[in-house]
PDB file of all heavy atoms in Angstrom:
ATOM      1  N   LEU A   1     -62.827 -32.672 233.296  1.00 95.00           N
ATOM      2  CA  LEU A   1     -62.675 -33.520 234.471  1.00 95.00           C
ATOM      3  C   LEU A   1     -61.752 -32.704 235.506  1.00 95.00           C
ATOM      4  O   LEU A   1     -60.563 -32.318 235.260  1.00 95.00           O
ATOM      5  CB  LEU A   1     -61.909 -34.752 234.117  1.00 95.00           C
ATOM      6  CG  LEU A   1     -62.493 -35.607 232.895  1.00 95.00           C
ATOM      7  CD1 LEU A   1     -61.761 -36.801 232.679  1.00 95.00           C
ATOM      8  CD2 LEU A   1     -63.973 -36.069 233.284  1.00 95.00           C
ATOM      9  N   ASP A   2     -62.235 -32.682 236.793  1.00 95.00           N
ATOM     10  CA  ASP A   2     -61.370 -32.115 237.851  1.00 95.00           C
ATOM     11  C   ASP A   2     -60.269 -33.094 238.207  1.00 95.00           C
ATOM     12  O   ASP A   2     -59.215 -32.687 238.542  1.00 95.00           O
ATOM     13  CB  ASP A   2     -62.256 -31.864 239.061  1.00 95.00           C
ATOM     14  CG  ASP A   2     -62.872 -30.468 239.096  1.00 95.00           C
ATOM     15  OD1 ASP A   2     -62.524 -29.642 238.166  1.00 95.00           O
ATOM     16  OD2 ASP A   2     -63.663 -30.283 240.027  1.00 95.00           O
ATOM     17  N   SER A   3     -60.587 -34.375 238.103  1.00 94.00           N
ATOM     18  CA  SER A   3     -59.633 -35.406 238.506  1.00 94.00           C
ATOM     19  C   SER A   3     -59.565 -36.514 237.475  1.00 94.00           C
ATOM     20  O   SER A   3     -60.477 -37.238 237.426  1.00 94.00           O
ATOM     21  CB  SER A   3     -59.807 -35.966 239.901  1.00 94.00           C
ATOM     22  OG  SER A   3     -59.069 -37.129 240.116  1.00 94.00           O
ATOM     23  N   ASN A   4     -58.563 -36.462 236.660  1.00 91.00           N
ATOM     24  CA  ASN A   4     -58.325 -37.416 235.699  1.00 91.00           C
ATOM     25  C   ASN A   4     -58.440 -38.918 236.328  1.00 91.00           C
ATOM     26  O   ASN A   4     -59.192 -39.784 235.880  1.00 91.00           O
ATOM     27  CB  ASN A   4     -57.027 -37.289 235.004  1.00 91.00           C
ATOM     28  CG  ASN A   4     -56.772 -38.219 233.857  1.00 91.00           C
ATOM     29  OD1 ASN A   4     -57.456 -39.220 233.593  1.00 91.00           O
ATOM     30  ND2 ASN A   4     -55.601 -38.140 233.271  1.00 91.00           N
ATOM     31  N   PRO A   5     -57.598 -39.140 237.417  1.00 92.00           N
ATOM     32  CA  PRO A   5     -57.496 -40.495 237.949  1.00 92.00           C
ATOM     33  C   PRO A   5     -58.891 -40.969 238.532  1.00 92.00           C
ATOM     34  O   PRO A   5     -59.270 -42.064 238.532  1.00 92.00           O
ATOM     35  CB  PRO A   5     -56.457 -40.605 238.929  1.00 92.00           C
ATOM     36  CG  PRO A   5     -56.112 -39.120 239.295  1.00 92.00           C
ATOM     37  CD  PRO A   5     -56.514 -38.377 238.098  1.00 92.00           C
ATOM     38  N   GLU A   6     -59.590 -39.909 239.085  1.00 96.00           N
ATOM     39  CA  GLU A   6     -60.872 -40.434 239.841  1.00 96.00           C
ATOM     40  C   GLU A   6     -61.915 -40.717 238.712  1.00 96.00           C
ATOM     41  O   GLU A   6     -62.730 -41.614 239.030  1.00 96.00           O
ATOM     42  CB  GLU A   6     -61.318 -39.335 240.795  1.00 96.00           C
ATOM     43  CG  GLU A   6     -60.677 -39.228 242.033  1.00 96.00           C
ATOM     44  CD  GLU A   6     -60.961 -38.110 243.017  1.00 96.00           C
ATOM     45  OE1 GLU A   6     -62.100 -37.600 242.821  1.00 96.00           O
ATOM     46  OE2 GLU A   6     -60.288 -37.987 244.079  1.00 96.00           O
ATOM     47  N   PHE A   7     -61.972 -39.907 237.722  1.00 96.00           N
ATOM     48  CA  PHE A   7     -62.934 -40.341 236.754  1.00 96.00           C
ATOM     49  C   PHE A   7     -62.608 -41.688 235.991  1.00 96.00           C
ATOM     50  O   PHE A   7     -63.380 -42.551 235.798  1.00 96.00           O
ATOM     51  CB  PHE A   7     -63.018 -39.091 235.599  1.00 96.00           C
ATOM     52  CG  PHE A   7     -64.062 -39.431 234.491  1.00 96.00           C
ATOM     53  CD1 PHE A   7     -65.378 -39.045 234.763  1.00 96.00           C
ATOM     54  CD2 PHE A   7     -63.686 -39.965 233.396  1.00 96.00           C
ATOM     55  CE1 PHE A   7     -66.420 -39.178 233.945  1.00 96.00           C
ATOM     56  CE2 PHE A   7     -64.682 -40.193 232.391  1.00 96.00           C
ATOM     57  CZ  PHE A   7     -66.054 -39.873 232.682  1.00 96.00           C
ATOM     58  N   THR A   8     -61.228 -41.842 235.647  1.00 96.00           N
ATOM     59  CA  THR A   8     -60.850 -43.107 235.090  1.00 96.00           C
ATOM     60  C   THR A   8     -61.174 -44.212 236.078  1.00 96.00           C
ATOM     61  O   THR A   8     -61.659 -45.252 235.525  1.00 96.00           O
ATOM     62  CB  THR A   8     -59.289 -43.046 234.833  1.00 96.00           C
ATOM     63  OG1 THR A   8     -58.938 -41.875 233.945  1.00 96.00           O
ATOM     64  CG2 THR A   8     -58.767 -44.352 234.254  1.00 96.00           C
ATOM     65  N   ALA A   9     -61.018 -44.024 237.279  1.00 98.00           N
ATOM     66  CA  ALA A   9     -61.361 -45.013 238.273  1.00 98.00           C
ATOM     67  C   ALA A   9     -62.832 -45.397 238.253  1.00 98.00           C
ATOM     68  O   ALA A   9     -63.213 -46.595 238.222  1.00 98.00           O
ATOM     69  CB  ALA A   9     -60.984 -44.663 239.693  1.00 98.00           C
ATOM     70  N   SER A  10     -63.638 -44.412 238.079  1.00 98.00           N
ATOM     71  CA  SER A  10     -65.065 -44.554 238.043  1.00 98.00           C
ATOM     72  C   SER A  10     -65.507 -45.434 236.826  1.00 98.00           C
ATOM     73  O   SER A  10     -66.460 -46.214 236.937  1.00 98.00           O
ATOM     74  CB  SER A  10     -65.856 -43.270 238.001  1.00 98.00           C
ATOM     75  OG  SER A  10     -65.502 -42.496 239.255  1.00 98.00           O
ATOM     76  N   VAL A  11     -64.774 -45.187 235.704  1.00 98.00           N
ATOM     77  CA  VAL A  11     -65.166 -45.935 234.504  1.00 98.00           C
ATOM     78  C   VAL A  11     -64.765 -47.365 234.739  1.00 98.00           C
ATOM     79  O   VAL A  11     -65.445 -48.344 234.528  1.00 98.00           O
ATOM     80  CB  VAL A  11     -64.474 -45.394 233.255  1.00 98.00           C
ATOM     81  CG1 VAL A  11     -64.750 -46.264 232.019  1.00 98.00           C
ATOM     82  CG2 VAL A  11     -64.887 -43.933 232.887  1.00 98.00           C
ATOM     83  N   ILE A  12     -63.487 -47.676 235.302  1.00 98.00           N
ATOM     84  CA  ILE A  12     -62.938 -48.907 235.615  1.00 98.00           C
ATOM     85  C   ILE A  12     -63.908 -49.721 236.562  1.00 98.00           C
ATOM     86  O   ILE A  12     -64.215 -50.866 236.283  1.00 98.00           O
ATOM     87  CB  ILE A  12     -61.652 -48.843 236.063  1.00 98.00           C
ATOM     88  CG1 ILE A  12     -60.571 -48.303 235.070  1.00 98.00           C
ATOM     89  CG2 ILE A  12     -61.089 -50.211 236.648  1.00 98.00           C
ATOM     90  CD1 ILE A  12     -59.240 -48.022 235.540  1.00 98.00           C
ATOM     91  N   VAL A  13     -64.370 -49.103 237.575  1.00 98.00           N
ATOM     92  CA  VAL A  13     -65.258 -49.782 238.548  1.00 98.00           C
ATOM     93  C   VAL A  13     -66.535 -50.263 237.825  1.00 98.00           C
ATOM     94  O   VAL A  13     -67.010 -51.288 238.124  1.00 98.00           O
ATOM     95  CB  VAL A  13     -65.439 -49.000 239.799  1.00 98.00           C
ATOM     96  CG1 VAL A  13     -66.548 -49.459 240.595  1.00 98.00           C
ATOM     97  CG2 VAL A  13     -64.189 -48.895 240.623  1.00 98.00           C
ATOM     98  N   ALA A  14     -67.163 -49.397 236.975  1.00 98.00           N
ATOM     99  CA  ALA A  14     -68.390 -49.874 236.303  1.00 98.00           C
ATOM    100  C   ALA A  14     -67.990 -51.084 235.398  1.00 98.00           C
ATOM    101  O   ALA A  14     -68.813 -52.162 235.354  1.00 98.00           O
ATOM    102  CB  ALA A  14     -68.856 -48.714 235.417  1.00 98.00           C
ATOM    103  N   TYR A  15     -66.939 -51.046 234.735  1.00 98.00           N
ATOM    104  CA  TYR A  15     -66.530 -52.188 233.988  1.00 98.00           C
ATOM    105  C   TYR A  15     -66.099 -53.374 234.686  1.00 98.00           C
ATOM    106  O   TYR A  15     -66.196 -54.621 234.312  1.00 98.00           O
ATOM    107  CB  TYR A  15     -65.412 -51.804 232.989  1.00 98.00           C
ATOM    108  CG  TYR A  15     -66.129 -51.286 231.665  1.00 98.00           C
ATOM    109  CD1 TYR A  15     -66.323 -49.769 231.577  1.00 98.00           C
ATOM    110  CD2 TYR A  15     -66.580 -52.018 230.694  1.00 98.00           C
ATOM    111  CE1 TYR A  15     -67.028 -49.298 230.484  1.00 98.00           C
ATOM    112  CE2 TYR A  15     -67.172 -51.354 229.498  1.00 98.00           C
ATOM    113  CZ  TYR A  15     -67.375 -50.051 229.436  1.00 98.00           C
ATOM    114  OH  TYR A  15     -68.104 -49.527 228.298  1.00 98.00           O
ATOM    115  N   ALA A  16     -65.663 -53.193 236.045  1.00 98.00           N
ATOM    116  CA  ALA A  16     -65.298 -54.261 236.867  1.00 98.00           C
ATOM    117  C   ALA A  16     -66.596 -55.146 237.140  1.00 98.00           C
ATOM    118  O   ALA A  16     -66.519 -56.398 237.259  1.00 98.00           O
ATOM    119  CB  ALA A  16     -64.714 -53.829 238.122  1.00 98.00           C
ATOM    120  N   ARG A  17     -67.726 -54.413 237.275  1.00 98.00           N
ATOM    121  CA  ARG A  17     -68.964 -55.125 237.423  1.00 98.00           C
ATOM    122  C   ARG A  17     -69.328 -55.954 236.362  1.00 98.00           C
ATOM    123  O   ARG A  17     -69.745 -57.108 236.434  1.00 98.00           O
ATOM    124  CB  ARG A  17     -70.080 -54.059 237.751  1.00 98.00           C
ATOM    125  CG  ARG A  17     -71.492 -54.690 237.877  1.00 98.00           C
ATOM    126  CD  ARG A  17     -72.555 -53.548 237.992  1.00 98.00           C
ATOM    127  NE  ARG A  17     -72.370 -52.920 239.337  1.00 98.00           N
ATOM    128  CZ  ARG A  17     -72.095 -51.646 239.444  1.00 98.00           C
ATOM    129  NH1 ARG A  17     -71.815 -51.002 238.310  1.00 98.00           N
ATOM    130  NH2 ARG A  17     -72.089 -51.048 240.628  1.00 98.00           N
ATOM    131  N   ALA A  18     -69.072 -55.484 235.124  1.00 98.00           N
ATOM    132  CA  ALA A  18     -69.203 -56.198 233.832  1.00 98.00           C
ATOM    133  C   ALA A  18     -68.433 -57.529 233.794  1.00 98.00           C
ATOM    134  O   ALA A  18     -68.917 -58.579 233.423  1.00 98.00           O
ATOM    135  CB  ALA A  18     -68.957 -55.381 232.653  1.00 98.00           C
ATOM    136  N   ALA A  19     -67.166 -57.267 234.163  1.00 98.00           N
ATOM    137  CA  ALA A  19     -66.190 -58.495 234.281  1.00 98.00           C
ATOM    138  C   ALA A  19     -66.637 -59.541 235.110  1.00 98.00           C
ATOM    139  O   ALA A  19     -66.646 -60.748 234.879  1.00 98.00           O
ATOM    140  CB  ALA A  19     -64.836 -57.936 234.635  1.00 98.00           C
ATOM    141  N   TYR A  20     -67.235 -59.156 236.343  1.00 98.00           N
ATOM    142  CA  TYR A  20     -67.661 -59.988 237.395  1.00 98.00           C
ATOM    143  C   TYR A  20     -68.919 -60.804 236.774  1.00 98.00           C
ATOM    144  O   TYR A  20     -69.012 -62.091 236.908  1.00 98.00           O
ATOM    145  CB  TYR A  20     -68.048 -59.321 238.605  1.00 98.00           C
ATOM    146  CG  TYR A  20     -68.755 -60.039 239.676  1.00 98.00           C
ATOM    147  CD1 TYR A  20     -68.218 -61.148 240.210  1.00 98.00           C
ATOM    148  CD2 TYR A  20     -70.070 -59.682 240.164  1.00 98.00           C
ATOM    149  CE1 TYR A  20     -68.839 -61.828 241.326  1.00 98.00           C
ATOM    150  CE2 TYR A  20     -70.643 -60.230 241.069  1.00 98.00           C
ATOM    151  CZ  TYR A  20     -70.018 -61.511 241.699  1.00 98.00           C
ATOM    152  OH  TYR A  20     -70.708 -62.124 242.697  1.00 98.00           O
ATOM    153  N   ARG A  21     -69.772 -60.076 236.133  1.00 98.00           N
ATOM    154  CA  ARG A  21     -71.052 -60.689 235.691  1.00 98.00           C
ATOM    155  C   ARG A  21     -70.592 -61.744 234.513  1.00 98.00           C
ATOM    156  O   ARG A  21     -71.275 -62.824 234.314  1.00 98.00           O
ATOM    157  CB  ARG A  21     -71.934 -59.766 235.105  1.00 98.00           C
ATOM    158  CG  ARG A  21     -72.697 -58.875 236.291  1.00 98.00           C
ATOM    159  CD  ARG A  21     -73.562 -57.811 235.754  1.00 98.00           C
ATOM    160  NE  ARG A  21     -74.375 -57.239 236.876  1.00 98.00           N
ATOM    161  CZ  ARG A  21     -75.094 -56.099 236.772  1.00 98.00           C
ATOM    162  NH1 ARG A  21     -75.131 -55.490 235.597  1.00 98.00           N
ATOM    163  NH2 ARG A  21     -75.717 -55.722 237.795  1.00 98.00           N
ATOM    164  N   MET A  22     -69.723 -61.312 233.600  1.00 98.00           N
ATOM    165  CA  MET A  22     -69.291 -62.188 232.424  1.00 98.00           C
ATOM    166  C   MET A  22     -68.707 -63.403 232.931  1.00 98.00           C
ATOM    167  O   MET A  22     -68.938 -64.557 232.381  1.00 98.00           O
ATOM    168  CB  MET A  22     -68.462 -61.236 231.573  1.00 98.00           C
ATOM    169  CG  MET A  22     -69.183 -60.209 230.904  1.00 98.00           C
ATOM    170  SD  MET A  22     -68.120 -58.930 230.258  1.00 98.00           S
ATOM    171  CE  MET A  22     -67.662 -59.755 228.667  1.00 98.00           C
ATOM    172  N   LYS A  23     -67.855 -63.225 234.076  1.00 98.00           N
ATOM    173  CA  LYS A  23     -67.220 -64.535 234.657  1.00 98.00           C
ATOM    174  C   LYS A  23     -68.316 -65.421 235.154  1.00 98.00           C
ATOM    175  O   LYS A  23     -68.307 -66.656 235.070  1.00 98.00           O
ATOM    176  CB  LYS A  23     -66.247 -64.102 235.719  1.00 98.00           C
ATOM    177  CG  LYS A  23     -65.673 -65.264 236.422  1.00 98.00           C
ATOM    178  CD  LYS A  23     -64.631 -66.033 235.634  1.00 98.00           C
ATOM    179  CE  LYS A  23     -64.235 -67.278 236.412  1.00 98.00           C
ATOM    180  NZ  LYS A  23     -63.145 -66.979 237.496  1.00 98.00           N
ATOM    181  N   GLN A  24     -69.290 -64.869 235.857  1.00 97.00           N
ATOM    182  CA  GLN A  24     -70.371 -65.595 236.429  1.00 97.00           C
ATOM    183  C   GLN A  24     -71.172 -66.428 235.364  1.00 97.00           C
ATOM    184  O   GLN A  24     -71.711 -67.484 235.549  1.00 97.00           O
ATOM    185  CB  GLN A  24     -71.467 -64.825 237.210  1.00 97.00           C
ATOM    186  CG  GLN A  24     -70.810 -64.297 238.545  1.00 97.00           C
ATOM    187  CD  GLN A  24     -71.914 -63.547 239.367  1.00 97.00           C
ATOM    188  OE1 GLN A  24     -72.611 -62.674 238.757  1.00 97.00           O
ATOM    189  NE2 GLN A  24     -71.983 -63.930 240.501  1.00 97.00           N
ATOM    190  N   GLU A  25     -71.274 -65.818 234.125  1.00 98.00           N
ATOM    191  CA  GLU A  25     -71.920 -66.441 233.084  1.00 98.00           C
ATOM    192  C   GLU A  25     -71.088 -67.444 232.224  1.00 98.00           C
ATOM    193  O   GLU A  25     -71.523 -68.015 231.239  1.00 98.00           O
ATOM    194  CB  GLU A  25     -72.488 -65.382 232.000  1.00 98.00           C
ATOM    195  CG  GLU A  25     -73.591 -64.464 232.630  1.00 98.00           C
ATOM    196  CD  GLU A  25     -74.148 -63.356 231.747  1.00 98.00           C
ATOM    197  OE1 GLU A  25     -73.749 -63.490 230.534  1.00 98.00           O
ATOM    198  OE2 GLU A  25     -74.873 -62.515 232.126  1.00 98.00           O
ATOM    199  N   GLY A  26     -69.911 -67.597 232.730  1.00 98.00           N
ATOM    200  CA  GLY A  26     -68.973 -68.593 232.047  1.00 98.00           C
ATOM    201  C   GLY A  26     -68.116 -68.106 230.824  1.00 98.00           C
ATOM    202  O   GLY A  26     -67.557 -68.915 230.204  1.00 98.00           O
TER     203      GLY A  26
END
């Protein structure tokens, strides 16, 4: 990784999508 925080952020943002969908499903 050239940038630890940018890669970490990219993982987090993908999982943020999962959190949003899971909340929508109740």
Side-chain angles (χ1 to χ4, degrees):
L1 313 176
D2 271 357
S3 171
N4 181 0
E6 288 183 8
F7 185 83
T8 300
S10 297
V11 178
I12 290 171
V13 165
Y15 276 90
R17 178 182 291 113
Y20 173 63
R21 289 176 170 174
M22 294 162 82
K23 174 67 184 287
Q24 285 185 311
E25 291 180 9

